[in-house]
Amino acid sequence: MNRILKIIRIAMWSLVALGLTAILILGITNSNGINGVFHFTNIIDPNIAVQKDESLEIKGVNKIIVDFSSSDIIVKATDEENMRIIQKSNKTLKDDEKFQVIQGNNQITIEKRKFGNLSNTWSFGNFKEVIEIYLPKNYNSDLDIETSSGDINFDSDMILSNANLSASSGDIVSKYNLDIKGINIVTSSGDISIETLTTSTYKIKATSGDIKINSLSGSGQVDTSSGDIKVQYKDIEEYSEVTATSGDVKITIQKGMSLEFKGKCSSGDINSNLDLNYKDEDHHEATANIGNGPYKKINVNTSSGDISISD
């Protein structure tokens, strides 16, 4: 009986192997594969070309949502009156792979079709898709951007009311000035790098990645679970809380800023060119009152990493 079972199992696995081989051969010989499941055009033509280009009137719109699964998002300001969306890819996209626009309730949503073809997910080679968003300079309302596997890049100065930026696996980058009243930035696996951020309230979090802000104004939290934090404060409205679970924190304040500082690290040192009051011999905890007040507050905590504060 055991011998018969073994023969049956061998026969079944042989059939499975033959079936998978047939599917692979069919995928190779057909550029579109089986219902578009396999694509080899990425390897043949790596050049990125425009797949869709659409212009939208945004008069009366107070919120724009951009939602894509595996695309780099580039945001630029434009002198044009209308908003423009350009989708680029290194393979020819079918209609159900191109973005769609949903309008209503003074809101515009640009997204990948939820039930579109799954060819991009299963493509062989490096699939590359870029979504370029051109926002009129007179648009100063809300902007939400989310991408699962891709970067978010601001390619010009922006003035907005509120912004929510989320990249599950990708970086969020701006080499320009972001003037946003309230902002929330989240990455699961990626870095956050911003040249200038002027805001009233901010919440910036990287689960696994570094955070670097060269000029920060406002009040809020900066947090990373695994990565370093480097922040230069131009101004603090009321407070700033900085936390790094596993990583170093380096902060710089403006000379002449009145500041109440509290720092604590479980495993690491606190060092500064300022006059700190250390709570222990190992320099794991320190406080300071700098200037004459009223004091802005900075609280810094690390579990495994050093803390550096300077002016």
Side-chain angles (χ1 to χ4, degrees):
M1 181 64 69
N2 290 336
R3 184 179 179 184
I4 295 174
L5 288 174
K6 288 180 180 179
I7 294 173
I8 293 173
R9 288 175 181 172
I10 292 171
M12 291 177 63
W13 281 113
S14 298
L15 290 172
V16 170
L18 288 172
L20 290 174
T21 302
I23 292 174
L24 183 59
I25 292 172
L26 184 59
I28 294 173
T29 56
N30 183 355
S31 63
N32 287 327
I34 299 176
N35 294 326
V37 173
F38 294 97
H39 283 278
F40 291 84
T41 54
N42 302 340
I43 300 174
I44 298 171
D45 184 12
N47 298 320
I48 293 180
V50 175
Q51 304 296 317
K52 187 175 181 179
D53 187 339
E54 186 170 343
S55 182
L56 298 173
E57 185 177 334
I58 62 170
K59 185 177 180 180
V61 173
N62 54 36
K63 188 171 188 177
I64 295 172
I65 300 173
V66 182
D67 186 0
F68 284 82
S69 57
S70 58
S71 309
D72 290 338
I73 312 294
I74 299 176
V75 184
K76 303 179 182 182
T78 177
D79 292 322
E80 301 295 327
E81 293 183 359
N82 291 344
M83 174 186 181
R84 187 179 178 191
I85 309 106
I86 300 177
Q87 183 177 21
K88 297 179 179 179
S89 175
N90 62 347
K91 80 176 190 67
T92 301
L93 300 179
K94 296 182 178 181
D95 287 340
D96 61 0
E97 295 176 306
K98 298 175 182 178
F99 69 83
Q100 65 178 354
V101 176
I102 302 172
Q103 293 180 274
N105 298 322
N106 299 322
Q107 180 175 295
I108 291 177
T109 300
I110 304 105
E111 64 180 11
K112 197 87 164 187
R113 286 179 168 85
K114 302 299 183 184
F115 302 103
N117 204 303
L118 297 178
S119 58
N120 298 349
T121 305
W122 298 99
S123 295
F124 286 98
N126 294 320
F127 173 72
K128 181 70 174 179
E129 184 175 66
V130 178
I131 308 297
E132 296 179 356
I133 306 293
Y134 293 85
L135 288 178
K137 290 181 178 179
N138 61 3
Y139 179 80
N140 54 12
S141 296
D142 296 351
L143 176 65
D144 289 3
I145 301 177
E146 182 174 355
T147 178
S148 299
S149 178
D151 299 333
I152 299 174
N153 196 314
F154 285 87
D155 209 18
S156 57
D157 296 343
M158 287 285 160
I159 300 176
L160 298 168
S161 181
N162 294 286
N164 290 286
L165 312 175
S166 176
S168 298
S169 178
D171 300 331
I172 298 177
V173 179
S174 172
K175 295 181 180 179
Y176 295 85
N177 300 325
L178 300 181
D179 189 339
I180 303 171
K181 291 180 181 178
I183 189 167
N184 183 27
I185 305 175
V186 179
T187 65
S188 296
S189 177
D191 298 330
I192 298 171
S193 179
I194 299 174
E195 180 61 33
T196 302
L197 177 58
T198 302
T199 180
S200 293
T201 59
Y202 56 83
K203 187 174 183 180
I204 303 168
K205 181 177 177 61
T207 301
S208 178
D210 298 332
I211 299 174
K212 181 181 179 181
I213 305 174
N214 289 333
S215 178
L216 177 61
S217 300
S219 293
Q221 299 88 35
V222 181
D223 184 357
T224 180
S225 297
S226 178
D228 298 330
I229 296 175
K230 185 177 180 181
V231 177
Q232 297 184 46
Y233 290 97
K234 182 179 180 181
D235 189 24
I236 300 173
E237 286 193 2
E238 294 181 8
Y239 73 95
S240 183
E241 295 180 357
V242 182
T243 305
T245 302
S246 178
D248 298 331
V249 175
K250 183 178 181 179
I251 59 177
T252 305
I253 63 172
Q254 287 275 25
K255 288 186 179 295
M257 180 183 292
S258 294
L259 183 71
E260 180 184 292
F261 168 78
K262 292 182 180 179
K264 186 175 182 180
C265 51
S266 299
S267 177
D269 298 327
I270 301 176
N271 58 82
S272 176
N273 65 347
L274 305 172
D275 187 14
L276 301 183
N277 299 314
Y278 290 100
K279 301 292 184 180
D280 59 353
E281 295 180 355
D282 295 325
H283 290 188
H284 288 168
E285 187 174 359
T287 61
N289 285 337
I290 302 164
N292 298 319
Y295 296 112
K296 313 294 179 67
K297 296 181 179 181
I298 294 182
N299 295 331
V300 182
N301 290 277
T302 67
S303 296
S304 178
D306 297 330
I307 297 172
S308 173
I309 177 171
S310 61
D311 59 6

